[in-house]
Amino acid sequence: MKQSETATHGRRAVIELREKILSGELQGGTRLFEVPLAELLDISRTPVREALSRLTEEGLLDRLPSGGFVVRRFGFSDVIDAIELRGVMEGMAARLAAERGVETEAIEKISETVRLLDDCFGEKLDEVDFDAYSELNERFHHQLAALSGSEMIRREVERASSLPFASPSAFLPDRADIASFRRSLRGAQEQHRLMVAAIAAREGSRAEAIAREHARTARRNLEYILAEDPGMISKVRGLAFIRH
């Protein structure tokens, strides 16, 4: 098999297996082996092996000492810890950016992203272009991590954000169409604006505090679903494999 074809199959395997895990089709504790998965996906073992290693790095799988892999079990406390960890890492990135100073061009780029995010909101309080917001929100957080000027910090922010429920767009309304979630995005957007302003003003402590509070949006959305509308669990990507 050509190297490019192997890479293509590997990406497809990662996407398909990740989706099966997040949808709950492959539940926590399920053991996974290369040969059956290769047959299921109709590809060779090499891209399956690479996909399993990638999903292990993302934290969705654990490697078994005896061979093979197992789908990780996640509890509510694990999710909360992951969200808090992302907040800590992004807060550190924001503080370092403010204290070390950022090139004007970098501030202009992230400010432009904030402006484009503004355009995602309509006149009504809960009117939001979710698809555009989600894409631009991810861009903002990548730019924020890079502003620290530290490749180590950038990598750790990306690592902390890699699990679906800890990512910047975790539990955003999407197809769930929860009006209160959509309205909360306006508050999150204001935090984007305040973060950039604090970094530009070299206010490290303020930038860090805003970034840490901002990360908790995912926690509040999760708590709303579990406490107020548990019927949404099956409709929000990633919740199916969290033990409640």
Side-chain angles (χ1 to χ4, degrees):
M1 183 181 296
K2 296 180 179 179
Q3 186 173 359
S4 60
E5 187 176 355
T6 300
T8 299
H9 286 170
R11 286 192 294 271
R12 179 168 69 85
V14 168
I15 292 171
E16 291 189 19
L17 290 174
R18 185 191 290 125
E19 186 59 36
K20 288 180 183 296
I21 294 170
L22 296 180
S23 68
E25 183 178 342
L26 291 175
Q27 298 183 358
T30 301
R31 297 188 67 176
L32 304 177
F33 298 95
E34 292 176 15
V35 174
L37 287 176
E39 294 175 353
L40 175 66
L41 300 175
D42 194 25
I43 56 179
S44 70
R45 292 178 60 182
T46 299
V48 169
R49 184 181 308 118
E50 294 174 354
L52 292 172
S53 295
R54 169 68 181 275
L55 293 173
T56 300
E57 291 175 2
E58 291 184 8
L60 295 178
L61 303 178
D62 284 326
R63 194 184 302 268
L64 296 171
S66 58
F69 298 79
V70 62
V71 178
R72 286 190 62 190
R73 291 186 172 93
F74 290 92
F76 178 75
S77 61
D78 297 316
V79 178
I80 296 304
D81 289 347
I83 293 170
E84 292 294 330
L85 178 60
R86 178 170 72 83
V88 169
M89 297 310 303
E90 286 195 327
M92 181 178 294
R95 177 173 59 80
L96 288 178
E99 292 177 350
R100 294 175 175 177
V102 178
E103 295 289 339
T104 301
E105 183 180 357
I107 286 290
E108 289 176 348
K109 285 183 177 180
I110 196 170
S111 295
E112 173 63 10
T113 301
V114 172
R115 187 192 68 76
L116 292 173
L117 279 163
D118 281 335
D119 293 339
C120 296
F121 296 89
E123 294 182 1
K124 295 181 180 179
L125 190 59
D126 62 350
E127 186 178 346
V128 184
D129 181 344
F130 172 81
D131 290 334
Y133 182 94
S134 182
E135 180 179 345
L136 288 165
N137 185 52
E138 184 174 352
R139 180 193 302 178
F140 175 91
H141 285 272
H142 283 306
Q143 291 173 325
L144 174 64
L147 288 183
S148 68
S150 167
E151 180 61 20
M152 179 178 294
I153 295 298
R154 188 198 66 77
R155 286 200 309 268
E156 290 306 312
V157 171
E158 297 294 334
R159 188 191 304 273
S161 303
S162 63
L163 290 175
F165 42 70
S167 70
S169 294
F171 309 129
L172 289 181
D174 196 10
R175 295 177 182 83
D177 199 25
I178 301 173
S180 61
F181 281 17
R182 290 183 179 271
R183 289 193 292 269
S184 75
L185 294 186
R186 292 182 183 270
Q189 173 62 357
E190 179 62 17
Q191 289 174 329
H192 288 151
R193 191 177 295 107
L194 292 173
M195 252 187 284
V196 174
I199 291 171
R202 308 291 294 269
E203 298 174 344
S205 296
R206 177 170 170 75
E208 180 177 20
I210 295 169
R212 293 187 66 165
E213 179 60 28
H214 181 69
R216 295 192 176 116
T217 298
R219 174 174 180 166
R220 288 192 293 272
N221 288 347
L222 172 61
E223 290 174 337
Y224 175 90
I225 291 174
L226 296 182
E228 304 294 334
D229 197 357
M232 297 304 303
I233 290 174
S234 62
K235 300 179 182 180
V236 179
R237 186 175 183 269
L239 289 186
F241 78 130
I242 297 173
R243 289 179 285 113
H244 311 294

Coordinates of all heavy atoms in Angstrom, one line a residue, residues 104 175 224:
T104 N 2.3 43.6 17.4 CA 1.1 44.2 16.9 C 0.4 43.4 15.9 O -0.9 43.3 15.9 CB 1.5 45.6 16.3 OG1 2.1 46.4 17.3 CG2 0.2 46.3 15.8
R175 N -27.0 21.4 17.1 CA -28.3 20.9 16.7 C -29.2 20.8 17.9 O -30.4 20.6 17.8 CB -28.2 19.6 16.0 CG -27.5 19.7 14.6 CD -27.4 18.3 14.0 NE -26.6 18.4 12.7 CZ -25.3 18.4 12.6 NH1 -24.6 18.4 13.7 NH2 -24.7 18.5 11.4
Y224 N -26.1 22.3 32.9 CA -27.5 22.6 32.6 C -28.2 21.4 32.0 O -29.3 21.0 32.3 CB -27.5 23.7 31.5 CG -28.9 24.0 31.0 CD1 -29.8 24.9 31.6 CD2 -29.4 23.3 29.9 CE1 -31.0 25.1 31.1 CE2 -30.7 23.5 29.4 CZ -31.5 24.4 30.0 OH -32.8 24.6 29.5

